[in-house]
Amino acid sequence: MHSLRNLTSHSCSSSAALRTTAASQASSSAVHVVTLAGRRAHSYYQHHAKLSSRHVNGGFPAFGHNATRSTVRSERVFYHRSLVSSPCAAVASEETPTAVADETAVQKIKDAEEEAVKNGSYPFELVEKRWQQHWEDRQTFRTPDEVDTSKPKYYALDMFPYPSGAGLHVGHPEGYTATDIIARYKRMQGFNVLHPMGWDAFGLPAEQYALQTGTHPRETTIKNQDRFRSQLKMLGFSYDWQREISTTDEKYYKWTQWIFLQLYKKGLAYQDEVAVNWCPALGTVLANEEVIDGLSERGGHPVERRPMRQWVLKITEYAERLLNDLDELDWSDSIKDMQRNWIGKSEGAQIKFDVAGTEESLEVFTTRPDTLFGATYMVLAPEHPSIAHICSEDRKAAVDEYCEAARRKSDRDRTESREKSGVDTGARAINPVSGQEVPVFVADYVLGSYGTGAIMAVPAHDQRDFDFAKAYDLPIKTVVQPPEDFPLDEKAYTGSGVIVNSKNADSSLSLDGLSAAEAKEEVLKWLESKAIGSRTINYKLRDWLFSRQRYWGEPFPIMFVDGEAVAVDESELPLTLPETEDFQPSETGESPLANIESWVNTVDPSTGKPARRETNTMPQWAGSCWYFLRYIDPQNDNMLVDPEKEKYWMPVDLYVGGAEHAVLHLLYARFWHKVLYDCGIVSTKEPFQRLVSQGMILGEVEYTAYVDETGAFVSPQAAGSPGVTAKKLKSTEVETTSAGCVLKGDPTVKVDSRAYKMSKSRGNVINPDDIVDEFGADSLRLYEMFMGPLRDTKTWSTRAIEGVHRFLARVWRTIGDGVVETEPTKEQLKALNMCIKRVTTETEELRFNTAIAAMMEFINAANKWETKPRGALEPFAILLAPYAPHVAEEMWFRMGHTESLTYEPWPQVDETVLVEDSITIGVQVNGKVRGQIEIPKDADKETAIMAAKAVENVNKFLEGKEVKKEIWVPGKILNIVVGK
């Protein structure tokens, strides 16, 4: 019976009588199959009824790896021996006093298990709740504060989530499952493993909710954290919850404030009047990435540009180190390139253009000084300070109007717009090498925050400049020789070539005939000799705008005394948020903190003078820049992190998160880490040694057909035509053909099929709670890893999860069919070791889908075995444990073990078992294959011929014929040539 799980025990009581009984029974049968039967089976269900009762009351038996034997021995003995059908099991269960469970509860559990197995499933609800409670009660995954540092370490880290009110969707567990697999795997390999979880909990949504409902953001955040935590525990992740942190915890942000003070003391934090993206509706400044088409990404509210006093962090001081140290990291090339492009290092020249008729001059940065003779106009950013000084009177009104309109656009809108707009200032600058006057325009595609806020335009060799020149009928001068057939009137030539049209007798400079590299060097020498230019390195990276006009964020440990910024003494940290019920921004655009006079107005303790606190708060990025360090030493009130602990655990060995954080979070965290390195707080230059970005999980495939006004189906190509509307179809109404998706029953009707990013607005979000309710946590974990390579984008299919659920049910039945105490056969050992080898290799390389495939192949083979030896199934349970921990734990326990398998040694492959000692080769007669033979690997010719003649089909072609020749290629083929 499948409902009576067949279990095994390693040993019996030390009693001589029991040993004699065991020997006697073992000798009576060559194969001793271990089963649950009779009173012992009933004992098993009694105890699980008892467990269910304890679970309701918050209790659970203690037999985890951290439990001492003295405190858990009595329950372990009963829980283990009452399940084990060995000669000593009955005696043990009788010797152990237990409470008799309610018979009704016993029967319910028994019935539930039988029903699940009968339906091709397994009792995952019972199993998963039991083991999750066991892990929690015993703190199975707790990493002690003090570890044996002689052992290797492994720090597996997830990008911690923002706990939104919506909870997890099925995309979240993908990365979490990956790190959990590695964490469990490394524990079994003998590593000290640090695998924590926490909350990036400051954020605008909670504050917006407070504005709408009056609920304090703290209450919303705690509620959401509780929801996320329960979902993560539901999925069986092996986090050390004793190290849980939240960026909103005062004990945590004390150290965020402390780090800011170190930045301030080093001159890396300063104030500036910055034109920012101000959203009146949200009452806060938004980053460029949070503004789309002039509207806030959240809520779609209008955004305007407004100058505002802001705190800024001088990340540009670390640009070169942030760039160079990428080479030392085990990150994908695409992520590294994204960071390099964001930093945007450019080597070129800074050149001065005098403005005709004035004392003013304009400086530009260019990476192509070799094209200086081709500069036919200049462009200034609307924010450029010289505009007011050089603009002619007749152009002033038009220029002012244009600049005001540009200020209302985000930097992204300005740079990504295809339409190039601008206005002539009326000023003329002098090209320093040609001596010619060139017009000076203002255009919003040039940003004041990049370079000098001014460019020299070379339209013949820059497409953006070319488009602008065409739009405003400006001269285009070729200075790099293009191929003969290049259409110069249609587009800019941006390739390489010989320099032409680049000489001026008056300036004694000639570049004609030189290569670009040679011309660059000549121009630089000439500019430097004339003191009108110099070699320069420029970065696209801008200093980090670090202020937000919000309540729900870390307060700056800064006060203003007589208008000057003064740092709060470190002994006064944390500077906590004041309690309030008013979360409305102030009328001045300052944060809600500005409305709380009792908090804002204070006294400088060092001078006794009145002071005013900083009312801006830090951005959400602040707490996420260093959280990985706090996990190492989360309860330390005296320092950010203990130096010895930091030195042991850092850097993070594996960091997994979404590619959307490839630039900002990672760049900011690296910057802070380097500052802490310079301060002597951390021992590594980089925080994350290996980074993996999991692919996005898209929603279920959506099927769409199109109908006309009469309801008749039309081609998808007619979509958007008058009278044509989309009609959503169910998957059951569609079939797939070689030509694509078509309407079932009418292949002439083409159907569009597409998967979309999960979102509330599309209604395609999958709640993991629903999947766990129907299939279990192990099925969800396994399916998300089996969908495809971790880094690839994948499409969700609830129907497809049934496949991995059936696999786990087969695993369950494999144990239920009985394990034997005999040694595994050669075939069984080969299957096991092949599985060990593949799962080990694929897990190490994060190829989880192929590791699962290897385990599926093993179970398919095991289900065909007549007997299932313990020696083949116990190692498999360990292999399965990182992927489907609940099922694996139950397998392990039901095979007679009393300890969790969390810290069991990872199986080692026996390569000798995989070496083939026999081979199969084809046998030819007169060059045609007539059969196959299996012979020893080192068999000689005579052995092969004898085996061939024993094959009926081969012998048929040899009978009565003279053998003329025997061609033997050892280990490959045997060809017997016979006469006709």
Side-chain angles (χ1 to χ4, degrees):
M1 269 179 87
H2 289 312
S3 62
L4 299 180
R5 300 297 87 200
N6 300 325
L7 309 168
T8 66
S9 173
H10 280 306
S11 62
C12 298
S13 164
S14 60
S15 160
L18 290 175
R19 284 200 301 270
T20 303
T21 305
S24 158
Q25 291 191 1
S27 65
S28 67
S29 173
V31 177
H32 176 63
V33 181
V34 186
T35 60
L36 256 178
R39 185 178 54 176
R40 289 189 294 276
H42 188 66
S43 218
Y44 165 69
Y45 290 106
Q46 278 188 327
H47 200 68
H48 282 285
K50 180 179 173 184
L51 294 183
S52 298
S53 173
R54 290 190 181 184
H55 179 60
V56 171
N57 296 316
F60 201 79
F63 51 94
H65 90 281
N66 284 312
T68 61
R69 294 186 182 273
S70 60
T71 58
V72 302
R73 179 173 178 80
S74 62
E75 287 198 274
R76 278 184 180 167
V77 170
F78 176 81
Y79 198 25
H80 168 48
R81 293 185 179 172
S82 66
L83 300 179
V84 178
S85 177
S86 70
C88 60
V91 176
S93 61
E94 289 169 354
E95 289 177 347
T96 307
T98 61
V100 177
D102 179 72
E103 288 297 327
T104 303
V106 171
Q107 191 60 44
K108 281 183 179 179
I109 294 170
K110 186 175 180 180
D111 292 345
E113 186 170 10
E114 288 180 342
E115 186 67 22
V117 174
K118 184 172 68 176
N119 292 330
S121 181
Y122 66 99
F124 56 84
E125 283 184 319
L126 175 68
V127 170
E128 290 175 357
K129 287 179 181 177
R130 178 161 72 244
W131 285 105
Q132 287 164 18
Q133 191 66 46
H134 164 67
W135 294 329
E136 184 164 342
D137 285 349
R138 303 316 310 151
Q139 294 295 298
T140 302
F141 312 118
R142 175 83 172 107
T143 302
D145 292 330
E146 302 296 332
V147 297
D148 180 1
T149 56
S150 66
K151 292 174 62 177
K153 65 91 180 178
Y154 199 89
Y155 190 170
L157 181 65
D158 296 298
M159 290 185 184
F160 66 166
Y162 172 73
S164 67
L168 297 175
H169 63 67
V170 292
H172 288 102
E174 182 187 14
Y176 303 157
T177 304
T179 56
D180 196 61
I181 288 170
I182 292 299
R184 289 174 178 272
Y185 167 68
K186 290 296 182 180
R187 288 189 190 101
M188 290 176 162
Q189 287 193 316
F191 285 72
N192 288 326
V193 172
L194 189 61
H195 188 39
M197 176 51 74
W199 319 110
D200 189 10
F202 276 125
L204 186 57
E207 188 156 353
Q208 287 300 110
Y209 188 71
L211 287 169
Q212 297 165 11
T213 67
T215 306
H216 197 289
R218 184 185 301 108
E219 294 179 25
T220 304
T221 299
I222 291 173
K223 178 181 176 182
N224 293 346
Q225 287 175 179
D226 290 344
R227 168 74 173 136
F228 265 65
R229 188 186 306 107
S230 68
Q231 287 184 298
L232 293 175
K233 289 184 177 182
M234 171 189 72
L235 294 170
F237 295 132
S238 62
Y239 295 124
D240 178 357
W241 287 106
Q242 296 300 308
R243 293 175 184 267
E244 178 183 0
I245 55 128
S246 172
T247 55
T248 61
D249 185 341
E250 296 169 2
K251 291 183 178 180
Y252 179 86
Y253 70 69
K254 165 186 176 178
W255 298 105
T256 306
Q257 293 172 334
W258 183 87
I259 295 172
F260 175 82
L261 289 179
Q262 310 317 303
L263 290 160
Y264 182 69
K265 292 172 184 176
K266 291 175 71 68
L268 297 172
Y270 63 94
Q271 298 177 83
D272 197 8
E273 284 285 328
V274 181
V276 297
N277 302 312
W278 170 254
C279 179
L282 297 179
T284 191
V285 171
L286 301 177
N288 289 334
E289 295 73 26
E290 297 172 304
V291 180
I292 301 174
D293 297 329
L295 301 176
S296 63
E297 184 179 30
R298 178 176 175 80
H301 304 295
V303 175
E304 62 187 48
R305 300 286 285 178
R306 175 188 292 186
M308 192 174 289
R309 182 186 62 80
Q310 302 287 317
W311 282 98
V312 183
L313 300 187
K314 201 177 291 185
I315 191 174
T316 51
E317 287 286 310
Y318 284 74
E320 192 68 19
R321 288 167 63 180
L322 288 167
L323 197 61
N324 293 338
D325 290 347
L326 283 170
D327 295 336
E328 302 174 14
L329 301 176
D330 183 9
W331 295 12
S332 68
D333 289 339
S334 61
I335 297 294
K336 288 183 179 181
D337 286 343
M338 290 172 72
Q339 293 233 332
R340 290 188 182 107
N341 293 336
W342 192 268
I343 295 168
K345 181 179 181 179
S346 303
E347 297 183 13
Q350 194 102 339
I351 304 172
K352 183 170 71 173
F353 284 67
D354 289 332
V355 179
T358 73
E359 298 296 320
E360 298 286 329
S361 64
L362 302 172
E363 287 197 344
V364 302
F365 170 80
T366 178
T367 59
R368 295 294 306 273
D370 52 308
T371 64
L372 185 52
F373 277 96
T376 58
Y377 67 96
M378 294 187 71
V379 180
L380 304 182
E383 305 87 4
H384 200 288
S386 294
I387 293 174
H389 304 295
I390 67 172
C391 185
S392 63
E393 276 303 317
D394 61 321
R395 304 299 302 158
K396 185 172 177 54
V399 170
D400 287 347
E401 182 181 355
Y402 182 86
C403 291
E404 181 59 33
R407 289 190 186 99
R408 292 194 291 269
K409 298 180 182 179
S410 71
D411 288 353
R412 175 184 287 181
D413 291 340
R414 285 167 55 177
T415 56
E416 293 183 358
S417 175
R418 293 186 178 182
E419 292 186 11
K420 297 294 180 284
S421 65
V423 60
D424 191 348
T425 64
R428 296 296 179 263
I430 301 172
N431 185 316
V433 292
S434 69
Q436 297 177 340
E437 290 189 1
V438 297
V440 181
F441 276 72
V442 174
D444 61 7
Y445 74 86
V446 177
L447 301 178
S449 58
Y450 179 66
T452 63
I455 66 165
M456 66 175 212
V458 184
H461 306 293
D462 182 282
Q463 190 61 44
R464 185 178 58 175
D465 296 344
F466 180 90
D467 295 340
F468 192 90
K470 285 290 187 180
Y472 291 89
D473 196 24
L474 297 168
I476 299 174
K477 180 180 179 181
T478 300
V479 292
V480 179
Q481 186 65 53
E484 289 185 9
D485 58 348
F486 188 84
L488 286 171
D489 290 337
E490 299 176 14
K491 58 183 179 180
Y493 175 65
T494 58
S496 59
V498 175
I499 303 299
V500 296
N501 302 323
S502 298
K503 62 181 178 180
N504 181 3
D506 293 340
S507 64
S508 69
L509 177 64
S510 175
L511 306 178
D512 288 352
L514 298 179
S515 67
E518 292 169 333
K520 282 181 182 180
E521 190 59 32
E522 283 297 312
V523 170
L524 285 167
K525 289 179 182 177
W526 187 88
L527 291 169
E528 288 173 339
S529 70
K530 302 294 183 181
I532 55 176
S534 60
R535 303 166 196 268
T536 306
I537 294 176
N538 195 48
Y539 297 93
K540 187 168 68 175
L541 178 69
R542 300 293 91 199
D543 281 343
W544 177 8
L545 183 62
F546 197 66
S547 294
R548 295 292 184 269
Q549 288 64 51
R550 301 174 183 165
Y551 167 80
W552 194 232
E554 299 93 339
F556 281 94
I558 295 290
M559 56 186 166
F560 294 92
V561 181
D562 296 332
E564 295 295 321
V566 176
V568 171
D569 191 274
E570 292 179 10
S571 64
E572 299 297 317
L573 300 180
L575 173 60
T576 59
L577 287 167
E579 292 298 325
T580 184
E581 296 179 357
D582 180 11
F583 304 102
Q584 293 291 338
S586 69
E587 295 179 358
T588 62
E590 293 178 280
S591 84
L593 292 175
N595 299 326
I596 309 173
E597 292 292 329
S598 60
W599 184 84
V600 171
N601 296 316
T602 186
V603 174
D604 177 15
S606 62
T607 64
K609 292 183 177 181
R612 183 175 175 83
R613 297 195 192 279
E614 172 62 76
T615 59
N616 286 327
T617 53
M618 299 184 200
Q620 189 174 0
W621 303 109
S624 64
C625 280
W626 71 280
Y627 72 107
F628 46 90
L629 293 172
R630 194 59 178 171
Y631 282 141
I632 295 172
D633 198 10
Q635 305 304 324
N636 196 329
D637 293 330
N638 300 316
M639 59 181 66
L640 186 145
V641 61
D642 181 273
E644 292 303 315
K645 293 178 180 179
E646 182 279 329
K647 189 174 182 180
Y648 177 73
W649 285 112
M650 289 298 289
V652 172
D653 297 284
L654 176 64
Y655 195 28
V656 176
E660 66 271 19
H661 302 296
V663 176
L664 297 183
H665 160 61
L666 292 172
L667 197 64
Y668 295 157
R670 294 180 62 220
F671 164 49
W672 275 36
H673 198 76
K674 290 182 183 300
V675 173
L676 292 174
Y677 178 77
D678 291 347
C679 292
I681 305 301
V682 298
S683 59
T684 64
K685 293 188 295 182
E686 290 285 341
F688 316 119
Q689 184 56 38
R690 187 183 188 189
L691 172 73
V692 173
S693 297
Q694 80 270 19
M696 183 181 295
I697 295 182
L698 303 176
E700 296 257 12
V701 173
E702 298 178 18
Y703 299 96
T704 308
Y706 296 89
V707 295
D708 61 19
E709 292 172 329
T710 68
F713 287 104
V714 296
S715 169
Q717 294 178 343
S721 301
V724 175
T725 57
K727 181 179 180 179
K728 297 295 182 184
L729 300 176
K730 297 177 181 178
S731 60
T732 53
E733 300 176 278
V734 178
E735 59 185 356
T736 303
T737 68
S738 58
C741 291
V742 298
L743 188 66
K744 186 174 287 186
D746 188 354
T748 63
V749 178
K750 304 294 184 185
V751 177
D752 273 348
S753 61
R754 183 179 173 187
Y756 296 86
K757 181 179 178 180
M758 291 187 189
S759 67
K760 287 183 181 179
S761 59
R762 286 203 73 86
N764 63 348
V765 174
I766 306 294
N767 188 332
D769 298 49
D770 298 335
I771 302 301
V772 171
D773 285 346
E774 187 172 357
F775 299 103
D778 281 343
S779 293
L780 176 58
R781 291 170 59 112
L782 216 58
Y783 174 63
E784 296 214 355
M785 295 298 97
F786 193 57
M787 292 173 75
L790 178 63
R791 297 170 177 84
D792 288 4
T793 298
K794 298 166 280 287
T795 301
W796 178 267
S797 170
T798 301
R799 290 178 60 187
I801 200 173
E802 295 173 2
V804 295
H805 184 72
R806 287 194 298 270
F807 162 66
L808 291 174
R810 287 197 300 273
V811 172
W812 185 271
R813 292 195 298 273
T814 300
I815 301 300
D817 289 341
V819 294
V820 301
E821 297 301 326
T822 56
E823 289 296 319
T825 66
K826 182 178 178 181
E827 175 194 356
Q828 291 167 339
L829 285 175
K830 184 177 178 181
L832 172 64
N833 279 275
M834 183 62 73
C835 185
I836 293 172
K837 185 173 184 176
R838 288 182 60 191
V839 173
T840 302
T841 300
E842 304 303 86
T843 301
E844 195 72 49
E845 296 299 322
L846 309 186
R847 295 191 292 261
F848 304 125
N849 56 321
T850 49
I852 294 168
M855 288 187 278
M856 289 178 170
E857 291 173 15
F858 174 83
I859 286 298
N860 287 340
N863 278 329
K864 297 174 184 176
W865 299 342
E866 291 185 8
T867 59
K868 300 177 176 64
R870 172 194 298 281
L873 291 179
E874 282 189 346
F876 175 77
I878 297 174
L879 297 178
L880 181 65
Y883 293 81
H886 307 89
V887 169
E889 288 275 25
E890 190 71 10
M891 284 179 62
W892 189 251
F893 182 76
R894 293 187 175 205
M895 284 190 288
H897 298 277
T898 59
E899 300 282 355
S900 165
L901 52 57
T902 299
Y903 296 91
E904 286 296 317
W906 186 258
Q908 300 299 304
V909 65
D910 184 352
E911 293 284 356
T912 62
V913 174
L914 300 178
V915 175
E916 299 284 354
D917 55 5
S918 65
I919 55 174
T920 301
I921 64 171
V923 179
Q924 297 178 349
V925 178
N926 289 346
K928 292 185 178 180
V929 177
R930 300 301 184 182
Q932 289 185 327
I933 57 174
E934 184 174 346
I935 56 177
K937 191 175 182 181
D938 56 354
D940 57 16
K941 180 178 179 180
E942 287 71 22
T943 302
I945 291 172
M946 287 178 60
K949 290 179 178 179
V951 177
E952 182 178 350
N953 195 53
V954 173
N955 196 47
K956 181 173 69 174
F957 288 93
L958 298 180
E959 281 183 338
K961 297 179 181 178
E962 179 185 0
V963 176
K964 293 183 173 285
K965 194 174 184 181
E966 295 164 337
I967 303 171
W968 167 241
V969 180
K972 292 186 178 180
I973 198 165
L974 173 63
N975 184 17
I976 304 175
V977 180
V978 299
K980 295 183 179 180

